Amino acid sequence: MTDKNIQLVSTISEDNKLTIALQDTGMKQPGDDQVVIRIEAAPLNPSDLAVMFSVADMTTAKQSGTEQNPIITADVPPKFMSAVKMRVGKATAVGNEGAGTVVAAGSSPAAQALMGKTVAVIGGGTYRQFLCANVQSCLELNEGTSAKEGASSFVNPLTALAMVETMRAEGHTAIIHAAAASSLGQMLNRICIADGVDLINIVRKAEQETLLRDLGAKYVVNSSSDTFRTDLTTAIIETGATIAFDPIGGGQLTSDILNCMEVAAARDMKEHSVYGSDTFKQVYIYGALNRGPITLHRNFGFAWGVNGFLLFNALGKLGTKTVMAMRKRVVDEITTTFASHYTHEVSLAEALHLESLATYSKQATGEKYLITPQR
Amino acid sequence: MTDKNIQLVSTISEDNKLTIALQDTGMKQPGDDQVVIRIEAAPLNPSDLAVMFSVADMTTAKQSGTEQNPIITADVPPKFMSAVKMRVGKATAVGNEGAGTVVAAGSSPAAQALMGKTVAVIGGGTYRQFLCANVQSCLELNEGTSAKEGASSFVNPLTALAMVETMRAEGHTAIIHAAAASSLGQMLNRICIADGVDLINIVRKAEQETLLRDLGAKYVVNSSSDTFRTDLTTAIIETGATIAFDPIGGGQLTSDILNCMEVAAARDMKEHSVYGSDTFKQVYIYGALNRGPITLHRNFGFAWGVNGFLLFNALGKLGTKTVMAMRKRVVDEITTTFASHYTHEVSLAEALHLESLATYSKQATGEKYLITPQR
């Protein structure tokens, strides 16, 4: 094994500069309950961009360094510096998940059992050549599953499954999903079809409607349409959906969803109430695609909740037994239900080329990057 | 017993008119598990105004009829008619609570046990002379408690107690309350002092600050102050408050509260996270003093909830045992912790005089009406 261990790090300096670069962090000896994974594939998810770019203004991004050792710098607007003060001066590792081969293992039986195996891993900065990780952060992939196939085993699969399990745990029977043409949305669509759960997909473009319908989606509504609210209400009446998951946040989509749910619920009311319907309506906001204010036009009574939704918090609420079953399902269906598709495969160095950075932001329209640190 | 039973009703007609008037509904024979209460005192709460005025534009209110039988009419803006279509043409009884003497009882032992007793009652339209109510809607007052003292035994006392019990049930240890100088707010202040729970009172006027401090409140912050956010954050740091109750809704107070909670929570973070702090932050919105949009400027991470809060739903979540203990506490402390103060006492007819209507809206600044239907 080499001693070299290149990783991608993002650093904000005191003089309002973001720098993204590669650095050699050297190899680490695994502790008793740790393994060293040779990372062979790691996806670039929106949540990774948030760590990599932080609050920098990426329209100011410049590339320097060399072809094999590029350096990206960008300006951080001074007003945002206080929000990231805990990051200043610290090289922050990037990469929430990935997969590869276990090349060294600690002394514990659980660690030893993974030696030579292909595993997926969560956390720790996976955009590097060798990652030292705790055994419980690893998921052993089935025989025959490649690192590339297993690279996205955590973030999207578990989030999509957590949505369905949260729906069940909280007594709802159908789901509304916004920005539904995403990788995550397509997974959720496959889970719901397999499990017989009605899913209302909200998209904003005609081609996304077509994409989802071609994937078997029964309910697809377009938020850009003049008839959006009527269409959504009709779909809610047909499905009985009272829980929604929205990665957008800013704007009034959350409000629209709650109001359409209330219109649907009010149809069953025998008499008027100033408090609105008794039907509990829930929207979980799991992203910040729109960082602007969330505006709630409250015509939806008093039986409602709007909550942030974060995978790890959701898993904590669902409990160990459910989470173990979810992990097993991901492993067993990683090439079907939970298959991810990548439009670009790049090395660590190529990930830092300006043209790559410029297209990351297009992920929502179908661009998806896979980083292969061994190239 | 007379056969006459005057009650106050609110009706919206198909031609966009709201009419509030008195009508004789006659006496009702109680069923087995029912009692007839001679209503002697019934408070006018903001939630009663919502039923009485509905969506009418009360600036158009006119009085007709006679001194003893006044009729109020007002215009309903056409755009609101669809929201109240289930009310159209139906005389809607008004009055959520009140107290009086049981003058007739059904055959069940529980009903018979209340015969002659002074009881408080919830629901059914208490702005009338005689109300036929189910036994479980009644709360027998202690010997010596008058109907006037017990008139407000449900809405404010149980809501204030439900806030404290919800805080406990959901694992928080201190409370933020907005519009805290209200009758409800003063009760909550007394409960928190008695129970040793830290309470941060948000008010918007200097005299409300003084009022609450004179009542022993330790934490009072003024949302009109230039230093409001700093003051609130400081109070949150001192108390550890992570749950808030807000009757306003519209505007950005909810957002401010969540952001101040997050600033306080972030002080304990060891490293930066794009997801914000792990500290779960909850705001319950229990009214609509501002019917405008709720605007959330989301700098408070992903561990948060904003929910509607309605007494009956909250009691359902708290469970029978807790609710029974709450009811007993209200009965025992109705003249101390849960004492209400009224600035006006009016008959049913006087309640419908224009000058009364005009001052109802001032309740938040300390005006509070008691209706005494037997005058």
Side-chain angles (χ1 to χ4, degrees):
Chain A
M1 210 192 317
T2 167
D3 273 354
K4 221 172 165 195
N5 187 7
I6 305 296
Q7 74 169 134
L8 190 156
V9 296
S10 164
T11 313
I12 292 173
S13 62
E14 273 182 22
D15 59 346
N16 307 355
K17 280 279 176 200
L18 172 80
T19 304
I20 316 171
L22 303 182
Q23 67 178 35
D24 182 1
T25 51
M27 295 297 289
K28 230 183 123 184
Q29 286 301 316
D32 288 351
D33 214 30
Q34 292 187 315
V35 294
V36 173
I37 306 160
R38 184 179 66 220
I39 300 290
E40 288 146 22
L44 210 152
N45 293 314
S47 48
D48 297 310
L49 293 185
V51 176
M52 192 164 19
F53 297 160
S54 186
V55 292
D57 174 1
M58 293 308 290
T59 64
T60 66
K62 287 185 182 61
Q63 187 181 332
S64 58
T66 64
E67 178 79 14
Q68 281 312 305
N69 200 10
I71 297 166
I72 299 289
T73 51
D75 297 335
V76 177
K79 65 177 172 179
F80 294 142
M81 285 297 288
S82 69
V84 293
K85 60 176 184 284
M86 273 179 292
R87 266 195 65 164
V88 170
K90 294 181 192 166
T92 301
V94 189
N96 274 321
E97 64 179 336
T101 308
V102 173
V103 294
S107 58
S108 80
Q112 284 294 320
L114 292 177
M115 191 61 203
K117 297 283 172 60
T118 305
V119 298
V121 61
I122 181 81
T126 53
Y127 298 168
R128 76 175 82 195
Q129 293 178 308
F130 295 91
L131 176 66
C132 184
N134 293 323
V135 167
Q136 62 264 36
S137 300
C138 298
L139 191 59
E140 184 182 340
L141 298 172
N142 285 343
E143 190 79 35
T145 301
S146 70
K148 181 178 168 183
E149 287 167 336
S152 296
S153 290
F154 285 94
V155 179
N156 283 345
L158 289 181
T159 303
L161 275 175
M163 291 174 179
V164 178
E165 294 301 339
T166 297
M167 173 203 82
R168 291 183 177 125
E170 298 183 358
H172 306 271
T173 56
I175 295 175
I176 298 173
H177 188 220
S182 63
S183 291
L184 173 62
Q186 294 178 33
M187 265 178 215
L188 182 61
N189 181 52
R190 289 194 291 267
I191 297 168
C192 287
I193 290 172
D195 290 11
V197 172
D198 278 335
L199 172 69
I200 302 173
N201 297 278
I202 300 178
V203 297
R204 61 194 171 114
K205 290 182 179 166
E207 58 263 36
Q208 295 167 332
E209 266 189 89
T210 308
L211 171 79
L212 283 166
R213 288 199 195 280
D214 288 350
L215 293 172
K218 186 171 171 192
Y219 300 97
V220 188
V221 294
N222 189 332
S223 60
S224 304
S225 162
D226 291 341
T227 58
F228 168 57
R229 291 193 190 117
T230 315
D231 298 343
L232 180 57
T233 304
T234 304
I236 292 169
I237 291 168
E238 284 186 34
T239 60
T242 48
I243 187 168
F245 295 89
D246 170 22
I248 302 167
Q252 63 173 56
L253 183 60
T254 290
S255 187
D256 286 344
I257 291 170
L258 290 170
N259 280 318
C260 291
M261 285 178 177
E262 179 68 3
V263 171
R267 291 167 64 255
D268 300 327
M269 289 173 73
K270 302 254 177 329
E271 55 183 52
H272 179 78
S273 165
V274 294
Y275 306 114
S277 77
D278 285 338
T279 302
F280 185 73
K281 301 161 291 289
Q282 174 72 51
V283 178
Y284 281 110
I285 297 179
Y286 72 93
L289 294 180
N290 179 340
R291 300 196 60 82
I294 303 166
T295 307
L296 304 176
H297 298 276
R298 188 160 48 129
N299 293 312
F300 40 78
F302 280 85
W304 57 276
V306 177
N307 285 66
F309 185 85
L310 196 58
L311 177 59
F312 297 99
N313 298 345
L315 296 181
K317 279 168 82 175
L318 289 170
T320 308
K321 198 180 154 194
T322 301
V323 172
M324 294 309 289
M326 289 163 64
R327 287 169 64 119
K328 174 154 177 30
R329 184 170 179 184
V330 172
V331 167
D332 289 343
E333 303 176 18
I334 192 67
T335 58
T336 54
T337 312
F338 303 106
S340 289
H341 300 284
Y342 306 97
T343 54
H344 300 72
E345 271 187 45
V346 293
S347 67
L348 283 169
E350 286 161 355
L352 290 189
H353 290 176
L354 262 190
E355 60 271 32
S356 295
L357 296 186
T359 48
Y360 292 159
S361 61
K362 294 186 192 154
Q363 286 191 110
T365 60
E367 306 262 354
K368 186 149 175 97
Y369 276 70
L370 186 72
I371 296 177
T372 54
Q374 300 304 323
R375 283 205 298 152
Chain B
M1 210 192 314
T2 169
D3 273 353
K4 221 171 163 194
N5 186 8
I6 304 297
Q7 75 169 135
L8 189 156
V9 295
S10 164
T11 313
I12 292 172
S13 63
E14 274 182 22
D15 59 347
N16 308 355
K17 280 278 178 200
L18 172 80
T19 304
I20 316 172
L22 303 181
Q23 67 178 34
D24 182 1
T25 51
M27 294 297 289
K28 229 183 123 185
Q29 287 301 316
D32 288 352
D33 213 32
Q34 292 186 315
V35 294
V36 173
I37 306 160
R38 185 179 67 221
I39 301 289
E40 289 146 20
L44 209 152
N45 294 314
S47 49
D48 298 311
L49 293 185
V51 175
M52 192 165 17
F53 298 158
S54 188
V55 292
D57 174 3
M58 294 309 291
T59 65
T60 67
K62 288 185 181 60
Q63 186 180 331
S64 59
T66 64
E67 179 79 14
Q68 281 312 304
N69 200 11
I71 296 167
I72 298 288
T73 51
D75 298 335
V76 177
K79 64 177 173 179
F80 294 143
M81 286 297 288
S82 69
V84 293
K85 61 176 184 285
M86 275 180 291
R87 269 195 63 164
V88 170
K90 295 181 193 167
T92 302
V94 189
N96 274 323
E97 64 179 336
T101 308
V102 174
V103 294
S107 58
S108 79
Q112 284 294 318
L114 293 177
M115 191 63 202
K117 298 283 173 60
T118 304
V119 298
V121 62
I122 180 82
T126 53
Y127 299 167
R128 77 175 81 196
Q129 294 177 309
F130 296 91
L131 176 65
C132 184
N134 294 323
V135 167
Q136 61 264 37
S137 300
C138 299
L139 190 60
E140 185 182 340
L141 298 172
N142 285 344
E143 190 78 36
T145 302
S146 70
K148 182 179 167 182
E149 288 168 335
S152 295
S153 290
F154 286 95
V155 178
N156 283 345
L158 289 182
T159 302
L161 276 177
M163 290 174 181
V164 178
E165 294 301 339
T166 296
M167 174 204 80
R168 291 183 176 126
E170 298 183 359
H172 306 271
T173 55
I175 295 176
I176 298 173
H177 188 220
S182 63
S183 293
L184 173 61
Q186 294 177 34
M187 266 179 214
L188 182 61
N189 181 52
R190 289 194 291 266
I191 296 168
C192 287
I193 289 172
D195 291 10
V197 172
D198 278 336
L199 172 68
I200 301 172
N201 297 276
I202 299 177
V203 299
R204 60 194 170 114
K205 290 181 179 167
E207 58 263 36
Q208 295 167 332
E209 264 189 270
T210 308
L211 171 79
L212 283 167
R213 289 199 194 278
D214 288 350
L215 294 172
K218 185 171 171 194
Y219 300 97
V220 188
V221 293
N222 189 331
S223 60
S224 304
S225 161
D226 290 341
T227 57
F228 169 57
R229 290 193 190 117
T230 314
D231 298 344
L232 180 56
T233 304
T234 303
I236 292 169
I237 290 169
E238 283 186 34
T239 60
T242 47
I243 187 169
F245 295 89
D246 169 23
I248 302 167
Q252 63 174 54
L253 183 60
T254 290
S255 187
D256 286 344
I257 292 169
L258 290 170
N259 281 319
C260 292
M261 286 177 177
E262 180 68 3
V263 170
R267 290 168 63 257
D268 299 327
M269 288 173 73
K270 301 252 177 331
E271 55 182 54
H272 179 77
S273 165
V274 294
Y275 305 115
S277 77
D278 283 338
T279 302
F280 185 73
K281 301 162 289 289
Q282 174 72 52
V283 178
Y284 281 109
I285 297 179
Y286 71 93
L289 295 180
N290 178 342
R291 301 197 58 83
I294 303 166
T295 306
L296 303 177
H297 297 276
R298 185 160 50 128
N299 293 313
F300 41 77
F302 280 84
W304 58 276
V306 177
N307 285 67
F309 185 85
L310 195 59
L311 177 59
F312 297 98
N313 298 346
L315 296 181
K317 279 168 82 176
L318 290 170
T320 308
K321 198 180 155 195
T322 301
V323 172
M324 294 309 289
M326 289 163 64
R327 287 169 64 120
K328 174 154 176 29
R329 184 169 179 184
V330 172
V331 167
D332 289 343
E333 305 176 16
I334 192 66
T335 59
T336 54
T337 312
F338 304 106
S340 290
H341 300 284
Y342 307 97
T343 53
H344 300 75
E345 270 187 46
V346 293
S347 68
L348 282 169
E350 288 161 354
L352 291 187
H353 290 176
L354 262 190
E355 58 271 32
S356 295
L357 295 187
T359 49
Y360 292 160
S361 60
K362 294 185 194 153
Q363 284 191 110
T365 60
E367 305 262 354
K368 183 147 178 105
Y369 275 71
L370 186 73
I371 298 177
T372 53
Q374 300 304 322
R375 285 204 298 152

